[in-house]
Amino acid sequence: MTYHPKSDFMAVMISRGFLADCTDYQGLDEAFAKDVVPGYIGFDATAKSLHVGSLIQIMMLRWLQKTGHKPITLMGGGTTKVGDPSFRADERPLLTPAQIDDNIAGIKQVFAKYMRYGDGASDALMLNNAEWLDGLNYLDFLRDIGRHFSVNRMLSFESVKSRLDREQSLSFLEFNYMILQAYDFLELNRRYGCLLQMGGSDQWGNIVNGIDLTRRVLDHEIYGLTSPLLTTSDGRKMGKSQDGAVWLNADMCSPYIFWQFWRNTTDADVGRFLKLYTEMPLDECDRLGALAGSEINDAKIALAGAVTTLCHGAEAAAAAEATAREVFEKGGVGDDLPTLSLDTAEVGDGISVVQLLVRSGLAKSGKEAKRLIAENGARIDDAALTDAGLMLDAGALSSPVKLSAGRKRHALVKLAD
């Protein structure tokens, strides 16, 4: 991109790799240079936590505040009742209002770590679109808002076309999602002067809809900006590990496992991830990302430490690194490893090592655990585990036993106190 921004925020977005597209680079940049810009990202409450896949959007909101502007975190208490169909192969399961409220409570804990909330000019706002969506009158909404949408145009959006081209059902409920998201932008502009919606590049069509609707109804100039949809250099979707989603709430993913996820970044991704997920200066990101051979491990540790500090605090990051050094460098048992505690009654006359691999999260099934053992990928107290029929009794578990799957995944098994 040859555009040279005037504002700090746009400079950060471009130089650190956050920017995929923008509806009007120059107009948005001038708005940022002139005054405090309120900008929002919407998050539907489909789970009790967000995962690493949402972290790029959270960092965009954080940089918005750090450069003197006003982030709005919009909880989708209303839109979650519909479900975003964008690039999904099937319809999302519908959640009850109680489940949605429960999920929102969990997600709010994440934002509190990344943003400062309050009443100041650049303090973040936490809003819920149920505030204006729950009370809508259907006929009034169709007359006032629905008339501004062309079905022909909606059918042309890639997120809709991809479902229709595969001949997979797209319910009328889901089809309404893009109208509701557009209406969110209109309401945020009307109520809070919000000038910007950000999101992943899969949200481009929804964002443009909101801009068009706001121009038609209020005749206001507003903007959209998208980030790239990230995959790792080996093609995996960002935020997924071999064990599933890497959640941002500590009660769903321990700080140690979170730290380890970043420590396991592939060499080719380190420089890019340092720019996106940390606040290190760009020259330091470039220096660390260019390290080669065994030195790249220092860059991965720096990445893991910085990202974990932002999400879980410096103490948790230091504890995770100390555990990793204990486990990997000294062959010891780290205090912070994921731990499976068993009652003596559960152990009985003995419990199979296959069951322990599954219950500790190192294997997804008994079949996978047996294959791991057969392929020499499992270890017990750092010794090769070769017998899939091994049983451990209470005596063997009187002191913690360390199980390992491959070189990087470990867990402790012990008797409950």
Side-chain angles (χ1 to χ4, degrees), residues 78 129-142 144-145 176 179-181 183-184 186-187 190-191:
N129 62 16
E131 184 183 330
W132 51 83
L133 294 181
D134 277 3
L136 284 177
N137 177 292
Y138 187 59
L139 289 178
D140 289 345
F141 185 71
L142 286 180
D144 297 340
I145 303 300
N176 275 272
I179 300 178
L180 296 176
Q181 186 171 328
Y183 186 67
D184 281 345
L186 168 68
E187 282 295 326
R190 179 156 45 199
R191 294 171 183 230

Side-chain angles (χ1 to χ4, degrees), residues 5 85 108 118 171 198 212 228 235 330 349 401:
K108 282 182 176 179
S171 73
M198 300 185 289
D212 288 347
K330 303 173 187 174
D349 295 331
V401 170

Side-chain angles (χ1 to χ4, degrees), residues 117-405:
Y117 288 86
D119 300 322
S122 63
D123 285 347
L125 282 178
M126 173 72 71
L127 302 173
N128 186 336
N129 62 16
E131 184 183 330
W132 51 83
L133 294 181
D134 277 3
L136 284 177
N137 177 292
Y138 187 59
L139 289 178
D140 289 345
F141 185 71
L142 286 180
R143 284 170 60 90
D144 297 340
I145 303 300
R147 64 192 178 89
H148 295 294
F149 288 85
S150 159
V151 172
N152 306 53
R153 187 160 178 265
M154 291 165 75
L155 289 171
S156 73
F157 285 125
E158 196 57 44
S159 57
V160 174
K161 275 176 64 179
S162 62
R163 280 278 279 278
L164 299 179
D165 289 347
R166 293 196 298 264
E167 297 184 356
Q168 285 165 327
S169 174
L170 179 72
S171 73
F172 182 67
L173 179 71
E174 293 175 288
F175 193 58
N176 275 272
Y177 185 92
M178 65 178 78
I179 300 178
L180 296 176
Q181 186 171 328
Y183 186 67
D184 281 345
F185 204 173
L186 168 68
E187 282 295 326
L188 287 171
N189 179 255
R190 179 156 45 199
R191 294 171 183 230
Y192 302 97
C194 183
L195 294 182
L196 171 66
Q197 181 181 175
M198 300 185 289
S201 56
D202 61 336
Q203 294 298 313
W204 180 254
N206 291 337
I207 291 171
V208 169
N209 267 337
I211 292 170
D212 288 347
L213 177 65
T214 305
R215 282 177 182 160
R216 287 169 183 265
V217 176
L218 301 178
D219 196 26
H220 289 177
E221 190 70 27
I222 58 176
Y223 307 93
L225 183 153
T226 60
S227 62
L229 287 183
L230 279 194
T231 55
T232 57
S233 59
D234 55 4
R236 283 184 292 117
K237 191 174 180 181
M238 191 60 192
K240 303 283 186 179
S241 72
Q242 61 194 101
D243 296 322
V246 180
W247 301 103
L248 302 181
N249 285 36
D251 59 345
M252 292 178 68
C253 176
S254 75
Y256 173 77
I257 292 175
F258 185 82
W259 187 94
Q260 198 65 47
F261 170 80
W262 296 99
R263 170 64 180 82
N264 292 340
T265 297
T266 55
D267 295 3
D269 289 325
V270 173
R272 182 171 59 134
F273 286 3
L274 283 163
K275 290 177 183 178
L276 290 169
Y277 298 111
T278 82
E279 295 170 340
M280 288 186 196
L282 287 171
D283 56 355
E284 180 67 358
C285 295
D286 288 332
R287 183 190 74 78
L288 288 169
L291 294 175
S294 61
E295 286 187 332
I296 194 69
N297 289 325
D298 294 334
K300 293 179 184 182
I301 288 169
L303 170 67
V307 182
T308 307
T309 296
L310 278 174
C311 189
H312 297 295
E315 197 174 311
E321 183 176 344
T323 292
R325 290 192 188 282
E326 177 71 18
V327 171
F328 296 116
E329 294 177 14
K330 303 173 187 174
V333 174
D335 294 334
D336 207 26
L337 279 182
T339 301
L340 171 65
S341 294
L342 299 171
D343 294 329
T344 309
E346 284 183 273
V347 177
D349 295 331
I351 188 168
S352 75
V353 74
V354 166
Q355 191 178 349
L356 293 179
L357 285 167
V358 174
R359 290 187 58 184
S360 62
L362 297 177
K364 291 179 181 172
S365 65
K367 185 178 179 181
E368 184 182 307
K370 289 173 184 175
R371 186 174 69 247
L372 191 69
I373 294 168
E375 294 174 354
N376 299 315
R379 300 176 75 80
I380 182 165
D381 287 335
D382 297 317
L385 178 56
T386 55
D387 180 9
L390 178 67
M391 303 289 288
L392 300 181
D393 60 17
L397 295 169
S398 57
S399 57
V401 170
K402 184 170 86 171
L403 294 177
S404 306

